[in-house]
Amino acid sequence: MLKHLTLALLGALCLAPSNAPFAAEPEAPAASVQQWTVWGGELRFNWNRDLMQDLGFNVGAARDRLEIGDAPHIERIALRESAGLEIRVADSADFVGFAGGRLQARGGFEVEGKGLSIDLRNLVLRPSAENAFRIDVVSADGEVWFYIDRLMYKLEGGSDPLMSVRAMDLRIAPRLASALGNDTYAGWVVAGLEMYARVATPGAVVAEPEGSSRWHGSPAPNGGVYEVDVFMSSFTLQYTRKQAAADGPGGQNTGVVVFTPSSTLRNNRGTGTADESNLNNPVIATVAGDPLGTSSARYAADVPWWQKFSGNFAPHGNDQHPYLIWNLYRVDSTGRIEQIGRSGVKHAWLTTNSPCDVNPGNNHILGRGCVDTYGTGNNDAIGDLGPRNEILPFTGQWGRCGSVYDADCNGARDTSSPCSNVGGADCSSYAFRMPVIEQFIDTTLNAGATYFAESWYIVRDDINFQNTMQSAPITFSWTGSTWSSANGSPLRLGPALGRWVAPNTSAANERSLDIKTGEGNLRVAMRVNDLGGGQYRYDYAVMNFDFARAVTQGAEPNLRVLRNNGFNRFELPMPAGAQLVSTEFADGDLDAGNDWSFSRQGSSLIWQAGGTSTAPLNPLNWGVMFRFSVTTDQAPQNGSGFLGIAETGTPANVRVDTLVPGAAAVNPDGVFADGFEVQ
């Protein structure tokens, strides 16, 4: 049986918030801290050789490496059983920082380029003097060219314990960035690592992992109920690779560039409230200073975080875990928004729970107020990425059966990489990541444009999906061999679309409409631009958050998702005699063959996806935004259009109340059907 180590910062272990709950949940006793030594085992490297080559370096194959196994992109080297890293462990369960020591590898890499020869054969891992959760990587010349952070830990093995670091980021140290003549390279992630080391301290025993009684819907004190409400608390975006055809500003701009986030979330901190006049709202902000940063849930539920294929566990009887996606948007100098990048799905598999308000004592349960970060190297790891079409976003379920990891639906993982089931020459470099067409970020072609990145989690039972999203301004520049992304501020909870048109806008020429349905949620934001001369441009941005009319087979844990399409039609009214100057459809790619066709039929403007209801071409699926623009001589009026649902069923359409070009509402059959409440 595995025994799990849960991360917690020593100064924040199980601290009660300043506001006492109604009924006392037992406070954790003071932690008992021990010092253990770890040595032996192995390091596993997943180098981003694409990025290293962009920086002018060649990383040689690992010397004295261990057998390859079923993951050829992972290179394994041994750790020596001499000396060792000193770690501090609280209550035989929680890692609370490195205390000193050193751990040497047997074997390693030679890194050559830019006039440097970095010898990482027999590299040494040494805790940083600046940060108890950071490791310096010392080369043969005694220099620290790289360092490691974003460590995700687990302790397993009971009376014969093993310290497992299931993911960590290898970053460029300031020393190397300075040698390259570009300080902005400092902190760039160039590899993902894993470490497995034996606990060498005699008598060390790992505590049993705990369960939870605080699942969503479980009774809470004073007649309350525990509810899930997870917040995205911060994220950054980093360049990770490009095709050779991506040659910088002024070039051919035909290549693809990939960007990957580091994303941090925090579970709700709600414990009830001592303010008897405010019983339905907590008083503890989870993300301070943000309007969406305080939950409406009085009592924070624990969240299941089980790794895929690890077994069937409470509360859903499966390997339930959250899913992470990320998107990129451009607003051009004329004010038109376009989604220019969208990732696949990252399957979450471990939570560090550091720090916490109440630590659940289990790396596969996110506790109250607990924080977890998925770093850049982790989010770039192909072994945990997959397509969006396997996810039912509104319910937070994964169709494991028939997925890229379990094509034969036998409940066992087929391969360490989905590429084996997907195929394609570029799968390992571009599949399920976020590719961006270079010309979309070329500042010479996009003068005056602004950019926003967005990262969000899909969490089952979450009562407010919008605070699991966060957006940030991003600027792009060319370093001479790579693209670089600078993360701006402020970070804001909610979708990036809210920066284009505010959700609570009172502007006469803007609208923002959130639509809640029984099958998911969407937002339609729009602007009307008076171009002068009696002409108006209408820009409609339709963001499908988590709407999907799913077609499935079986049930969890053997659920199969056959289809989970969103919308395939957008219709707006416009007087039949009105002048139509131009229209535009923007889906964020350069493939004209998958564009929705446009037609004008009587008093309706219609954009329609090709294909059929069972196989629509380029539908507006979850996590995706399309823009529809029309220029006409009609001034705006209040009216209604509708979105057609790709999959057959009832209702067939969703009504959209917004500003339209001087026309009355469109009322197709089914548009007012039950279950489609417009707010």
Side-chain angles (χ1 to χ4, degrees):
M1 181 177 180
L2 297 182
K3 280 77 178 174
H4 303 298
L5 172 71
T6 306
L7 266 179
L9 291 173
L10 182 61
L13 271 172
C14 304
L15 293 179
S18 58
N19 303 87
F22 273 118
E25 294 183 353
E27 293 188 12
S32 172
V33 179
Q34 300 172 301
Q35 190 160 305
W36 293 353
T37 300
V38 297
W39 67 16
E42 63 181 82
L43 274 177
R44 299 180 182 179
F45 281 78
N46 182 11
W47 282 98
N48 185 342
R49 283 184 164 84
D50 293 339
L51 176 53
M52 290 297 287
Q53 289 173 3
D54 289 344
L55 295 171
F57 288 98
N58 177 65
V59 180
R63 298 288 187 92
D64 300 319
R65 70 180 181 181
L66 304 175
E67 65 181 43
I68 294 176
D70 65 349
H73 57 288
I74 302 295
E75 296 173 274
R76 303 165 57 217
I77 59 175
L79 293 169
R80 298 178 187 270
E81 293 187 3
S82 59
L85 290 173
E86 303 295 328
I87 66 172
R88 292 187 297 168
V89 179
D91 296 329
S92 299
D94 299 328
F95 172 83
V96 292
F98 292 104
R102 63 197 299 274
L103 184 57
Q104 188 172 30
R106 179 183 291 111
F109 305 86
E110 293 177 280
V111 180
E112 304 279 349
K114 295 292 186 178
L116 297 172
S117 180
I118 302 174
D119 187 353
L120 295 180
R121 295 171 299 179
N122 304 321
L123 61 88
V124 171
L125 303 179
R126 183 182 68 197
S128 168
E130 301 173 358
N131 188 325
F133 293 90
R134 174 171 152 176
I135 301 174
D136 291 335
V137 179
V138 184
S139 61
D141 58 5
E143 292 282 358
V144 178
W145 301 101
F146 302 94
Y147 68 93
I148 295 168
D149 67 358
R150 302 298 193 199
L151 287 78
M152 300 185 74
Y153 304 83
K154 183 167 75 170
L155 198 67
E156 53 194 4
S159 59
D160 186 20
L162 173 74
M163 180 179 183
S164 301
V165 185
R166 299 291 304 279
M168 45 189 178
D169 285 341
L170 180 71
R171 297 179 183 267
I172 293 175
R175 175 74 178 85
L176 180 54
S178 177
L180 292 174
N182 191 334
D183 290 341
T184 63
Y185 291 145
W188 279 29
V189 177
V190 294
L193 274 73
E194 301 173 55
M195 182 178 78
Y196 302 89
R198 290 195 307 108
V199 176
T201 303
V205 178
V206 182
E208 291 280 352
E210 300 177 18
S212 176
S213 60
R214 299 186 177 96
W215 298 125
H216 181 82
S218 299
N222 296 294
V225 175
Y226 291 107
E227 294 179 290
V228 170
D229 195 7
V230 176
F231 294 74
M232 185 71 73
S233 60
S234 66
F235 82 100
T236 58
L237 197 69
Q238 184 197 303
Y239 165 86
T240 49
R241 56 176 46 82
K242 65 177 175 63
Q243 288 178 335
D247 51 5
Q252 296 298 312
N253 288 285
T254 57
V256 170
V257 184
V258 175
F259 297 92
T260 308
S262 174
S263 302
T264 299
L265 59 79
R266 187 171 195 180
N267 198 5
N268 176 30
R269 304 184 66 197
T271 63
T273 172
D275 179 2
E276 295 185 2
S277 65
N278 190 26
L279 298 183
N280 294 321
N281 293 289
V283 294
I284 307 170
T286 301
V287 180
D290 193 289
L292 293 176
T294 302
S295 179
S296 62
R298 288 178 58 197
Y299 295 97
D302 290 343
V303 182
W305 219 272
W306 309 109
Q307 184 174 4
K308 58 184 183 299
F309 300 104
S310 60
N312 299 325
F313 305 99
H316 301 295
N318 66 350
D319 51 356
Q320 186 67 47
H321 51 267
Y323 319 96
L324 178 69
I325 68 169
W326 48 100
N327 298 312
L328 184 65
Y329 304 85
R330 177 189 61 185
V331 180
D332 69 18
S333 59
T334 70
R336 294 173 299 181
I337 190 171
E338 186 170 356
Q339 186 182 36
I340 59 173
R342 55 187 74 109
S343 71
V345 168
K346 166 61 186 284
H347 288 260
W349 45 268
L350 190 75
T351 172
T352 54
N353 288 335
S354 170
C356 282
D357 291 346
V358 174
N359 196 318
N362 192 322
N363 277 112
H364 297 287
I365 299 174
L366 183 74
R368 189 182 81 206
C370 291
V371 176
D372 185 59
T373 297
Y374 274 72
T376 302
N378 193 339
N379 289 331
D380 193 54
I382 191 64
D384 292 304
L385 300 177
R388 294 187 184 186
N389 63 12
E390 295 176 353
I391 307 297
L392 302 182
F394 187 53
T395 57
Q397 296 171 280
W398 175 39
R400 187 267 307 156
C401 179
S403 70
V404 296
Y405 289 101
D406 186 14
D408 57 4
C409 193
N410 68 351
R413 183 170 180 154
D414 298 337
T415 172
S416 64
S417 170
C419 291
S420 299
N421 285 335
V422 174
D426 291 335
C427 181
S428 61
S429 294
Y430 300 100
F432 314 133
R433 295 179 170 98
M434 188 180 76
V436 180
I437 299 169
E438 185 184 31
Q439 66 179 254
F440 290 162
I441 60 171
D442 186 341
T443 53
T444 64
L445 299 176
N446 297 280
T450 56
Y451 297 86
F452 300 99
E454 177 184 78
S455 180
W456 39 297
Y457 271 96
I458 294 88
V459 182
R460 188 165 181 165
D461 297 320
D462 198 296
I463 64 169
N464 184 358
F465 70 93
Q466 292 199 32
N467 60 27
T468 67
M469 306 175 182
Q470 194 172 55
S471 69
I474 300 290
T475 56
F476 298 101
S477 59
W478 177 252
T479 69
S481 60
T482 70
W483 284 96
S484 176
S485 58
N487 301 280
S489 61
L491 288 165
R492 291 180 185 168
L493 290 171
L497 187 56
R499 294 175 181 263
W500 186 64
V501 173
N504 56 352
T505 181
S506 59
N509 64 336
E510 297 180 351
R511 291 289 187 275
S512 180
L513 176 71
D514 279 351
I515 303 174
K516 298 181 179 181
T517 82
E519 297 172 282
N521 301 274
L522 60 147
R523 176 179 293 180
V524 180
M526 66 88 61
R527 285 179 173 179
V528 181
N529 289 277
D530 188 341
L531 304 179
Q535 292 189 352
Y536 303 86
R537 191 187 75 217
Y538 295 74
D539 296 319
Y540 299 88
V542 183
M543 181 76 203
N544 181 352
F545 292 130
D546 59 4
F547 180 95
R549 178 164 288 171
V551 179
T552 65
Q553 287 180 347
E556 294 176 312
N558 295 314
L559 178 68
R560 183 190 294 268
V561 177
L562 300 177
R563 298 187 298 277
N564 69 343
N565 293 315
F567 303 99
N568 67 347
R569 180 182 176 95
F570 184 46
E571 182 167 341
L572 292 170
M574 191 172 81
Q579 180 187 13
L580 179 62
V581 179
S582 64
T583 65
E584 185 177 359
F585 169 77
D587 58 358
D589 65 28
L590 298 178
D591 182 4
N594 68 13
D595 286 354
W596 290 18
S597 63
F598 174 80
S599 63
R600 183 176 183 179
Q601 300 177 19
S603 60
S604 294
L605 308 176
I606 300 170
W607 287 267
Q608 177 73 53
T612 65
S613 62
T614 57
L617 178 63
N618 194 22
L620 178 54
N621 287 339
W622 75 271
V624 174
M625 189 201 79
F626 288 170
R627 176 174 51 81
F628 307 85
S629 298
V630 58
T631 300
T632 179
D633 61 353
Q634 297 294 301
Q637 295 183 15
N638 290 324
S640 298
F642 74 91
L643 285 159
I645 300 170
E647 192 71 40
T648 57
T650 302
N653 310 288
V654 176
R655 192 183 79 223
V656 178
D657 294 336
T658 186
L659 293 175
V660 299
V666 175
N667 294 297
D669 292 341
V671 84
F672 297 110
D674 291 342
F676 285 77
E677 178 184 358
V678 179
Q679 293 189 344

